[in-house]
Amino acid sequence: MPALCHVYESFALLQFKESLTINNSASRDPLAYPKVSSWTVESDWCSWDGVECDENSGHVIALNLSGSCLCGSINSSNSLVRFTQLERLNPADNHFNYSRILPELGHFPKLTHLNLSASFFTSKTRVLGPLHNRNLSGHFPEFRSRSPLRTLWFSDTSLSGKIPNSIWQLESLEFFSVARWNRLTGQIPHWIGNLTSLTVAIFARNKLYGPVPQSLSRLKHLRSLNLFENDLNGTVDFNMFLEMKHLAELGLDGNMLSVIFRKENATVVRNKFEILGLNSCNLKHFPDFLSYKNGIRYLDLGGNNIHGLIPKWIWNSSAETMAYLALNDNFLTGIKQYSQGDNKESEEILSDIFCNLKSLQLLDFSNNLLSGSRLPKCLEHPNNLLSVLNIRSNLFAVQFLNYAKTTEEAR
């Protein structure tokens, strides 16, 4: 007997048994048998077939009912929802009469394993989001066609394996995120372009490899695409994104990609980028199309192969909105600007020109070939929002470095 008696759990199990019928055709496994036949009032419920209790608390913590020849409907009044201490639940390979997947399953705070395969539930759920659950391991479930799912949010779980092909059947899918703690492998499938209702697609921080599929360009409603920190490789023609007029956030950084730009369409860019991550994308020059854009809040061009002067437009195009600007780990020598009267180029670095960025909070110029000794006056302004200024590993004059260090210490 359990150390603590929870007799109500035995009654709940018996009620669950009585709410269903046994039908040998309800399970496909040739070794299936009715496990609930051993559930009788004469015996300890923790010894019943498929039932596991915690040795200390006596609570039921696991129900393995797979292949139990169970048939019938399950709803919110079913006694199954009373087992709030459940850690593992497996009702696979039964026939639950196309019952709706219970929303109460999301209220089981300790649930780490759930198997609903081949159980004839109906996938009417519109949101499936077990995010922020690093104890949730295993593989992605398979999905059937005509599912009304609109959101798949598996961020910060511990899923592994490949993205199942059955997802392409989710015609209503709008939001798809598998970012951060997951370990998904394989390539981004080409059928991703068939999910034309997608507005958000986030694959960040996985182990996906191979090329960025051209079919992504068919996602005309996409607002956010984040492929940050994977093992993607190959060449990406950036123009595939320029016709996506709703695309505001794009993250290609942290991969092994080579991004190329074609200048001829720069003036007809339709989308309005707000967040653009192109760190370590083997860029050899500044993306010219940005000179026609405004409203950018986050721009990361660090870790590339950009030589020469920083163009003046990078300071003017988003002066009111730019909060994060990273140009680190390139081969930049100065800022291109024009003196009054003769329009001569000047290489004076960190001039007052960047002080026009009124929302700037982070500026990273580190590991370049920048030189100069003039301190921008706006760094001394008490209302300046800039909280991170990284200029190390350049060729600045000693007095400037000392002043910058003192300023940082004062903050």
Side-chain angles (χ1 to χ4, degrees):
M1 289 291 289
L4 298 175
C5 292
H6 302 288
V7 180
Y8 70 90
E9 291 190 347
S10 69
F11 291 153
L13 288 171
L14 290 172
Q15 288 177 359
F16 173 74
K17 172 185 176 180
E18 294 301 321
S19 68
L20 302 169
T21 60
I22 294 176
N23 188 326
N24 290 332
S25 64
S27 297
R28 301 176 181 176
D29 188 343
L31 300 179
Y33 65 95
K35 295 180 181 179
V36 297
S37 296
S38 68
W39 297 9
T40 63
V41 293
E42 291 83 13
S43 58
D44 171 17
W45 64 92
C46 289
S47 66
W48 291 349
D49 199 352
V51 179
E52 180 182 343
C53 296
D54 183 85
E55 293 182 357
N56 297 317
S57 69
H59 282 295
V60 175
I61 58 172
L63 285 176
N64 182 4
L65 302 175
S66 61
S68 295
C69 305
L70 297 176
C71 185
S73 299
I74 294 180
N75 54 45
S76 295
S77 63
N78 192 282
S79 58
L80 184 65
V81 302
R82 302 180 191 176
F83 297 96
T84 57
Q85 302 299 310
L86 272 182
E87 299 175 7
R88 301 183 300 280
L89 176 61
N90 183 2
D93 192 24
N94 289 286
H95 199 305
F96 293 115
N97 200 27
Y98 302 102
S99 302
R100 186 167 64 100
I101 294 177
L102 297 174
E104 286 80 6
L105 292 178
H107 299 160
F108 290 176
K110 297 184 178 181
L111 193 66
T112 59
H113 294 75
L114 176 64
N115 187 352
L116 301 178
S117 59
S119 53
F120 290 90
F121 281 103
T122 186
S123 289
K124 285 185 184 178
T125 303
R126 286 174 168 77
V127 177
L128 184 58
L131 67 164
H132 304 312
N133 188 349
R134 295 185 179 180
N135 290 325
L136 181 62
S137 60
H139 300 284
F140 245 101
E142 294 289 341
F143 299 90
R144 63 183 182 83
S145 61
R146 300 180 182 176
S147 168
L149 270 173
R150 295 182 180 177
T151 297
L152 283 178
W153 200 345
F154 282 80
S155 296
D156 203 18
T157 60
S158 295
L159 296 180
S160 58
K162 295 183 178 181
I163 300 172
N165 288 331
S166 58
I167 289 182
W168 77 267
Q169 302 178 91
L170 304 180
E171 299 175 354
S172 301
L173 195 63
E174 299 174 357
F175 186 106
F176 181 57
S177 176
V178 290
R180 293 174 64 208
W181 203 253
N182 294 306
R183 298 182 298 277
L184 297 179
T185 59
Q187 299 189 14
I188 299 176
H190 64 87
W191 47 253
I192 192 75
N194 296 334
L195 302 177
T196 54
S197 296
L198 269 185
T199 60
V200 174
I202 303 177
F203 298 88
R205 290 195 172 111
N206 280 282
K207 297 182 180 298
L208 301 173
Y209 57 82
V212 175
Q214 182 69 29
S215 61
L216 285 169
S217 62
R218 301 205 299 266
L219 303 180
K220 301 301 183 183
H221 298 288
L222 204 62
R223 296 197 305 266
S224 177
L225 174 63
N226 196 336
L227 307 178
F228 174 67
E229 285 191 5
N230 279 282
D231 296 320
L232 301 173
N233 54 46
T235 300
V236 178
D237 184 347
F238 196 85
N239 281 45
M240 68 184 287
F241 304 112
L242 298 185
E243 295 296 320
M244 302 163 71
K245 62 182 179 179
H246 298 289
L247 191 61
E249 177 181 355
L250 176 63
L252 301 178
D253 33 353
N255 288 283
M256 296 175 284
L257 297 170
S258 294
V259 177
I260 59 174
F261 298 88
R262 288 185 282 121
K263 298 182 180 180
E264 60 268 26
N265 292 329
T267 59
V268 294
V269 177
R270 297 180 178 180
N271 48 5
K272 295 184 177 180
F273 286 109
E274 296 179 12
I275 297 175
L276 186 58
L278 295 174
N279 190 296
S280 303
C281 285
N282 200 28
L283 302 183
K284 293 180 172 57
H285 56 80
F286 283 91
D288 289 330
F289 81 93
L290 290 176
S291 62
Y292 300 93
K293 309 305 296 178
N294 53 37
I296 294 178
R297 297 185 287 113
Y298 176 108
L299 179 61
D300 189 347
L301 300 178
N304 283 293
N305 195 26
I306 305 175
H307 288 68
L309 300 175
I310 303 170
K312 184 179 180 180
W313 54 255
I314 206 167
W315 315 107
N316 297 335
S317 60
S318 299
E320 299 291 331
T321 59
M322 186 79 76
Y324 181 108
L325 177 60
L327 302 176
N328 57 288
D329 295 279
N330 281 287
F331 300 89
L332 303 174
T333 57
I335 295 176
K336 181 181 292 186
Q337 65 182 89
Y338 300 96
S339 58
Q340 293 182 351
D342 58 6
N343 280 351
K344 287 185 177 181
E345 291 184 355
S346 168
E347 295 188 10
E348 185 173 12
I349 188 57
L350 284 182
S351 68
D352 290 337
I353 195 169
F354 90 80
C355 298
N356 292 328
L357 299 176
K358 300 176 181 179
S359 300
L360 193 64
Q361 298 177 35
L362 182 147
L363 179 64
D364 192 348
F365 277 153
S366 62
N367 299 309
N368 277 285
L369 304 175
L370 304 173
S371 62
S373 59
R374 181 167 169 246
L375 179 69
K377 295 179 181 179
C378 61
L379 287 181
E380 306 174 26
H381 198 285
N383 294 325
N384 195 296
L385 294 176
L386 191 66
S387 59
V388 178
L389 172 62
N390 191 349
I391 56 175
R392 70 175 184 271
S393 300
N394 279 286
L395 305 175
F396 292 115
V398 174
Q399 62 267 28
F400 182 87
L401 288 177
N402 289 339
Y403 187 95
K405 181 179 180 181
T406 303
T407 303
E408 183 62 29
E409 289 174 350
R411 291 179 185 276

PDB file of all heavy atoms in Angstrom, residues 145-168:
ATOM      1  N   SER A 145      -3.960  15.703 -42.169  1.00  0.00           N
ATOM      2  CA  SER A 145      -4.458  16.780 -43.024  1.00  0.00           C
ATOM      3  C   SER A 145      -5.749  17.368 -42.478  1.00  0.00           C
ATOM      4  O   SER A 145      -6.446  16.746 -41.679  1.00  0.00           O
ATOM      5  CB  SER A 145      -4.683  16.261 -44.443  1.00  0.00           C
ATOM      6  OG  SER A 145      -5.644  15.219 -44.429  1.00  0.00           O
ATOM      7  N   ARG A 146      -6.034  18.574 -42.888  1.00  0.00           N
ATOM      8  CA  ARG A 146      -7.247  19.303 -42.511  1.00  0.00           C
ATOM      9  C   ARG A 146      -7.300  19.655 -41.032  1.00  0.00           C
ATOM     10  O   ARG A 146      -8.368  19.968 -40.500  1.00  0.00           O
ATOM     11  CB  ARG A 146      -8.502  18.517 -42.904  1.00  0.00           C
ATOM     12  CG  ARG A 146      -8.597  18.251 -44.402  1.00  0.00           C
ATOM     13  CD  ARG A 146      -9.843  17.466 -44.751  1.00  0.00           C
ATOM     14  NE  ARG A 146      -9.891  17.175 -46.166  1.00  0.00           N
ATOM     15  CZ  ARG A 146     -10.836  16.428 -46.752  1.00  0.00           C
ATOM     16  NH1 ARG A 146     -11.808  15.910 -46.006  1.00  0.00           N
ATOM     17  NH2 ARG A 146     -10.807  16.209 -48.033  1.00  0.00           N
ATOM     18  N   SER A 147      -6.187  19.587 -40.377  1.00  0.00           N
ATOM     19  CA  SER A 147      -6.158  20.020 -38.979  1.00  0.00           C
ATOM     20  C   SER A 147      -6.297  21.537 -38.933  1.00  0.00           C
ATOM     21  O   SER A 147      -5.703  22.256 -39.745  1.00  0.00           O
ATOM     22  CB  SER A 147      -4.837  19.601 -38.327  1.00  0.00           C
ATOM     23  OG  SER A 147      -4.686  20.243 -37.080  1.00  0.00           O
ATOM     24  N   PRO A 148      -7.060  22.075 -37.971  1.00  0.00           N
ATOM     25  CA  PRO A 148      -7.231  23.524 -37.877  1.00  0.00           C
ATOM     26  C   PRO A 148      -6.129  24.226 -37.085  1.00  0.00           C
ATOM     27  O   PRO A 148      -6.266  25.393 -36.736  1.00  0.00           O
ATOM     28  CB  PRO A 148      -8.582  23.652 -37.158  1.00  0.00           C
ATOM     29  CG  PRO A 148      -8.631  22.454 -36.271  1.00  0.00           C
ATOM     30  CD  PRO A 148      -7.922  21.351 -37.021  1.00  0.00           C
ATOM     31  N   LEU A 149      -5.026  23.506 -36.782  1.00  0.00           N
ATOM     32  CA  LEU A 149      -3.958  24.106 -36.001  1.00  0.00           C
ATOM     33  C   LEU A 149      -3.443  25.391 -36.658  1.00  0.00           C
ATOM     34  O   LEU A 149      -3.131  25.419 -37.845  1.00  0.00           O
ATOM     35  CB  LEU A 149      -2.794  23.123 -35.848  1.00  0.00           C
ATOM     36  CG  LEU A 149      -2.814  22.196 -34.639  1.00  0.00           C
ATOM     37  CD1 LEU A 149      -1.689  21.179 -34.752  1.00  0.00           C
ATOM     38  CD2 LEU A 149      -2.671  22.990 -33.352  1.00  0.00           C
ATOM     39  N   ARG A 150      -3.357  26.429 -35.842  1.00  0.00           N
ATOM     40  CA  ARG A 150      -2.826  27.704 -36.318  1.00  0.00           C
ATOM     41  C   ARG A 150      -1.494  28.063 -35.674  1.00  0.00           C
ATOM     42  O   ARG A 150      -0.731  28.831 -36.230  1.00  0.00           O
ATOM     43  CB  ARG A 150      -3.840  28.826 -36.042  1.00  0.00           C
ATOM     44  CG  ARG A 150      -5.132  28.679 -36.820  1.00  0.00           C
ATOM     45  CD  ARG A 150      -6.078  29.831 -36.541  1.00  0.00           C
ATOM     46  NE  ARG A 150      -7.312  29.691 -37.290  1.00  0.00           N
ATOM     47  CZ  ARG A 150      -8.347  30.527 -37.199  1.00  0.00           C
ATOM     48  NH1 ARG A 150      -8.283  31.551 -36.354  1.00  0.00           N
ATOM     49  NH2 ARG A 150      -9.431  30.335 -37.914  1.00  0.00           N
ATOM     50  N   THR A 151      -1.240  27.501 -34.494  1.00  0.00           N
ATOM     51  CA  THR A 151      -0.013  27.816 -33.765  1.00  0.00           C
ATOM     52  C   THR A 151       0.670  26.551 -33.285  1.00  0.00           C
ATOM     53  O   THR A 151       0.046  25.732 -32.614  1.00  0.00           O
ATOM     54  CB  THR A 151      -0.311  28.727 -32.550  1.00  0.00           C
ATOM     55  OG1 THR A 151      -0.836  29.974 -33.006  1.00  0.00           O
ATOM     56  CG2 THR A 151       0.954  28.986 -31.747  1.00  0.00           C
ATOM     57  N   LEU A 152       1.939  26.387 -33.647  1.00  0.00           N
ATOM     58  CA  LEU A 152       2.806  25.345 -33.087  1.00  0.00           C
ATOM     59  C   LEU A 152       3.975  26.065 -32.425  1.00  0.00           C
ATOM     60  O   LEU A 152       4.840  26.620 -33.101  1.00  0.00           O
ATOM     61  CB  LEU A 152       3.324  24.410 -34.186  1.00  0.00           C
ATOM     62  CG  LEU A 152       2.371  23.360 -34.727  1.00  0.00           C
ATOM     63  CD1 LEU A 152       3.050  22.562 -35.832  1.00  0.00           C
ATOM     64  CD2 LEU A 152       1.893  22.429 -33.630  1.00  0.00           C
ATOM     65  N   TRP A 153       4.004  26.057 -31.107  1.00  0.00           N
ATOM     66  CA  TRP A 153       4.983  26.827 -30.366  1.00  0.00           C
ATOM     67  C   TRP A 153       5.737  25.885 -29.439  1.00  0.00           C
ATOM     68  O   TRP A 153       5.336  25.618 -28.323  1.00  0.00           O
ATOM     69  CB  TRP A 153       4.287  27.937 -29.586  1.00  0.00           C
ATOM     70  CG  TRP A 153       5.199  29.059 -29.191  1.00  0.00           C
ATOM     71  CD1 TRP A 153       6.554  29.074 -29.183  1.00  0.00           C
ATOM     72  CD2 TRP A 153       4.798  30.362 -28.760  1.00  0.00           C
ATOM     73  NE1 TRP A 153       7.040  30.294 -28.776  1.00  0.00           N
ATOM     74  CE2 TRP A 153       5.973  31.103 -28.507  1.00  0.00           C
ATOM     75  CE3 TRP A 153       3.565  30.967 -28.553  1.00  0.00           C
ATOM     76  CZ2 TRP A 153       5.947  32.422 -28.056  1.00  0.00           C
ATOM     77  CZ3 TRP A 153       3.536  32.282 -28.106  1.00  0.00           C
ATOM     78  CH2 TRP A 153       4.710  32.998 -27.878  1.00  0.00           C
ATOM     79  N   PHE A 154       6.863  25.360 -29.925  1.00  0.00           N
ATOM     80  CA  PHE A 154       7.669  24.396 -29.184  1.00  0.00           C
ATOM     81  C   PHE A 154       9.003  25.004 -28.751  1.00  0.00           C
ATOM     82  O   PHE A 154       9.986  24.288 -28.588  1.00  0.00           O
ATOM     83  CB  PHE A 154       7.918  23.156 -30.033  1.00  0.00           C
ATOM     84  CG  PHE A 154       6.751  22.210 -30.090  1.00  0.00           C
ATOM     85  CD1 PHE A 154       5.682  22.442 -30.931  1.00  0.00           C
ATOM     86  CD2 PHE A 154       6.716  21.086 -29.290  1.00  0.00           C
ATOM     87  CE1 PHE A 154       4.602  21.573 -30.996  1.00  0.00           C
ATOM     88  CE2 PHE A 154       5.645  20.203 -29.336  1.00  0.00           C
ATOM     89  CZ  PHE A 154       4.585  20.451 -30.186  1.00  0.00           C
ATOM     90  N   SER A 155       9.041  26.298 -28.538  1.00  0.00           N
ATOM     91  CA  SER A 155      10.278  26.943 -28.113  1.00  0.00           C
ATOM     92  C   SER A 155      10.676  26.488 -26.711  1.00  0.00           C
ATOM     93  O   SER A 155       9.827  26.284 -25.842  1.00  0.00           O
ATOM     94  CB  SER A 155      10.102  28.468 -28.121  1.00  0.00           C
ATOM     95  OG  SER A 155       9.864  28.934 -29.421  1.00  0.00           O
ATOM     96  N   ASP A 156      11.993  26.337 -26.528  1.00  0.00           N
ATOM     97  CA  ASP A 156      12.559  26.030 -25.213  1.00  0.00           C
ATOM     98  C   ASP A 156      12.071  24.693 -24.662  1.00  0.00           C
ATOM     99  O   ASP A 156      11.793  24.556 -23.479  1.00  0.00           O
ATOM    100  CB  ASP A 156      12.242  27.166 -24.233  1.00  0.00           C
ATOM    101  CG  ASP A 156      13.227  27.207 -23.083  1.00  0.00           C
ATOM    102  OD1 ASP A 156      14.306  26.617 -23.215  1.00  0.00           O
ATOM    103  OD2 ASP A 156      12.917  27.818 -22.047  1.00  0.00           O
ATOM    104  N   THR A 157      11.947  23.706 -25.544  1.00  0.00           N
ATOM    105  CA  THR A 157      11.715  22.330 -25.119  1.00  0.00           C
ATOM    106  C   THR A 157      12.960  21.526 -25.491  1.00  0.00           C
ATOM    107  O   THR A 157      13.970  22.090 -25.889  1.00  0.00           O
ATOM    108  CB  THR A 157      10.458  21.745 -25.784  1.00  0.00           C
ATOM    109  OG1 THR A 157      10.623  21.772 -27.213  1.00  0.00           O
ATOM    110  CG2 THR A 157       9.219  22.552 -25.417  1.00  0.00           C
ATOM    111  N   SER A 158      12.917  20.214 -25.348  1.00  0.00           N
ATOM    112  CA  SER A 158      14.092  19.379 -25.638  1.00  0.00           C
ATOM    113  C   SER A 158      13.797  18.372 -26.737  1.00  0.00           C
ATOM    114  O   SER A 158      14.201  17.212 -26.669  1.00  0.00           O
ATOM    115  CB  SER A 158      14.549  18.653 -24.362  1.00  0.00           C
ATOM    116  OG  SER A 158      14.993  19.569 -23.391  1.00  0.00           O
ATOM    117  N   LEU A 159      13.094  18.811 -27.770  1.00  0.00           N
ATOM    118  CA  LEU A 159      12.789  17.925 -28.886  1.00  0.00           C
ATOM    119  C   LEU A 159      14.033  17.686 -29.731  1.00  0.00           C
ATOM    120  O   LEU A 159      14.925  18.532 -29.808  1.00  0.00           O
ATOM    121  CB  LEU A 159      11.687  18.530 -29.753  1.00  0.00           C
ATOM    122  CG  LEU A 159      10.323  18.707 -29.089  1.00  0.00           C
ATOM    123  CD1 LEU A 159       9.335  19.309 -30.080  1.00  0.00           C
ATOM    124  CD2 LEU A 159       9.792  17.385 -28.569  1.00  0.00           C
ATOM    125  N   SER A 160      14.095  16.533 -30.373  1.00  0.00           N
ATOM    126  CA  SER A 160      15.206  16.201 -31.256  1.00  0.00           C
ATOM    127  C   SER A 160      14.642  15.544 -32.500  1.00  0.00           C
ATOM    128  O   SER A 160      13.435  15.354 -32.641  1.00  0.00           O
ATOM    129  CB  SER A 160      16.201  15.285 -30.535  1.00  0.00           C
ATOM    130  OG  SER A 160      15.560  14.098 -30.101  1.00  0.00           O
ATOM    131  N   GLY A 161      15.540  15.181 -33.422  1.00  0.00           N
ATOM    132  CA  GLY A 161      15.084  14.543 -34.652  1.00  0.00           C
ATOM    133  C   GLY A 161      14.763  15.553 -35.724  1.00  0.00           C
ATOM    134  O   GLY A 161      15.159  16.721 -35.654  1.00  0.00           O
ATOM    135  N   LYS A 162      14.027  15.121 -36.719  1.00  0.00           N
ATOM    136  CA  LYS A 162      13.718  15.962 -37.874  1.00  0.00           C
ATOM    137  C   LYS A 162      12.320  16.561 -37.771  1.00  0.00           C
ATOM    138  O   LYS A 162      11.472  16.079 -37.035  1.00  0.00           O
ATOM    139  CB  LYS A 162      13.846  15.152 -39.162  1.00  0.00           C
ATOM    140  CG  LYS A 162      15.256  14.674 -39.448  1.00  0.00           C
ATOM    141  CD  LYS A 162      15.332  13.943 -40.785  1.00  0.00           C
ATOM    142  CE  LYS A 162      16.761  13.507 -41.086  1.00  0.00           C
ATOM    143  NZ  LYS A 162      16.859  12.816 -42.399  1.00  0.00           N
ATOM    144  N   ILE A 163      12.114  17.622 -38.520  1.00  0.00           N
ATOM    145  CA  ILE A 163      10.785  18.231 -38.627  1.00  0.00           C
ATOM    146  C   ILE A 163       9.931  17.316 -39.496  1.00  0.00           C
ATOM    147  O   ILE A 163      10.293  17.022 -40.639  1.00  0.00           O
ATOM    148  CB  ILE A 163      10.883  19.633 -39.243  1.00  0.00           C
ATOM    149  CG1 ILE A 163      11.764  20.533 -38.392  1.00  0.00           C
ATOM    150  CG2 ILE A 163       9.500  20.247 -39.426  1.00  0.00           C
ATOM    151  CD1 ILE A 163      12.082  21.869 -39.019  1.00  0.00           C
ATOM    152  N   PRO A 164       8.802  16.807 -38.994  1.00  0.00           N
ATOM    153  CA  PRO A 164       8.018  15.821 -39.755  1.00  0.00           C
ATOM    154  C   PRO A 164       7.393  16.421 -41.006  1.00  0.00           C
ATOM    155  O   PRO A 164       6.929  17.569 -41.010  1.00  0.00           O
ATOM    156  CB  PRO A 164       6.951  15.376 -38.749  1.00  0.00           C
ATOM    157  CG  PRO A 164       6.821  16.515 -37.791  1.00  0.00           C
ATOM    158  CD  PRO A 164       8.195  17.124 -37.691  1.00  0.00           C
ATOM    159  N   ASN A 165       7.374  15.638 -42.066  1.00  0.00           N
ATOM    160  CA  ASN A 165       6.791  16.098 -43.332  1.00  0.00           C
ATOM    161  C   ASN A 165       5.308  16.372 -43.225  1.00  0.00           C
ATOM    162  O   ASN A 165       4.750  17.129 -44.019  1.00  0.00           O
ATOM    163  CB  ASN A 165       7.047  15.058 -44.422  1.00  0.00           C
ATOM    164  CG  ASN A 165       8.503  15.026 -44.856  1.00  0.00           C
ATOM    165  OD1 ASN A 165       9.195  16.034 -44.782  1.00  0.00           O
ATOM    166  ND2 ASN A 165       8.963  13.874 -45.297  1.00  0.00           N
ATOM    167  N   SER A 166       4.653  15.763 -42.238  1.00  0.00           N
ATOM    168  CA  SER A 166       3.200  15.929 -42.129  1.00  0.00           C
ATOM    169  C   SER A 166       2.802  17.356 -41.787  1.00  0.00           C
ATOM    170  O   SER A 166       1.626  17.723 -41.927  1.00  0.00           O
ATOM    171  CB  SER A 166       2.640  14.966 -41.080  1.00  0.00           C
ATOM    172  OG  SER A 166       3.239  15.173 -39.816  1.00  0.00           O
ATOM    173  N   ILE A 167       3.751  18.182 -41.358  1.00  0.00           N
ATOM    174  CA  ILE A 167       3.405  19.574 -41.028  1.00  0.00           C
ATOM    175  C   ILE A 167       2.936  20.333 -42.266  1.00  0.00           C
ATOM    176  O   ILE A 167       2.132  21.260 -42.161  1.00  0.00           O
ATOM    177  CB  ILE A 167       4.610  20.275 -40.361  1.00  0.00           C
ATOM    178  CG1 ILE A 167       4.817  19.713 -38.954  1.00  0.00           C
ATOM    179  CG2 ILE A 167       4.401  21.794 -40.263  1.00  0.00           C
ATOM    180  CD1 ILE A 167       5.949  20.357 -38.185  1.00  0.00           C
ATOM    181  N   TRP A 168       3.406  19.934 -43.439  1.00  0.00           N
ATOM    182  CA  TRP A 168       3.012  20.677 -44.643  1.00  0.00           C
ATOM    183  C   TRP A 168       1.515  20.585 -44.900  1.00  0.00           C
ATOM    184  O   TRP A 168       0.957  21.378 -45.660  1.00  0.00           O
ATOM    185  CB  TRP A 168       3.789  20.179 -45.849  1.00  0.00           C
ATOM    186  CG  TRP A 168       3.324  18.881 -46.442  1.00  0.00           C
ATOM    187  CD1 TRP A 168       3.780  17.648 -46.150  1.00  0.00           C
ATOM    188  CD2 TRP A 168       2.313  18.703 -47.447  1.00  0.00           C
ATOM    189  NE1 TRP A 168       3.123  16.693 -46.879  1.00  0.00           N
ATOM    190  CE2 TRP A 168       2.208  17.315 -47.698  1.00  0.00           C
ATOM    191  CE3 TRP A 168       1.480  19.559 -48.149  1.00  0.00           C
ATOM    192  CZ2 TRP A 168       1.318  16.782 -48.617  1.00  0.00           C
ATOM    193  CZ3 TRP A 168       0.584  19.030 -49.065  1.00  0.00           C
ATOM    194  CH2 TRP A 168       0.510  17.655 -49.297  1.00  0.00           C
TER     195      TRP A 168
END
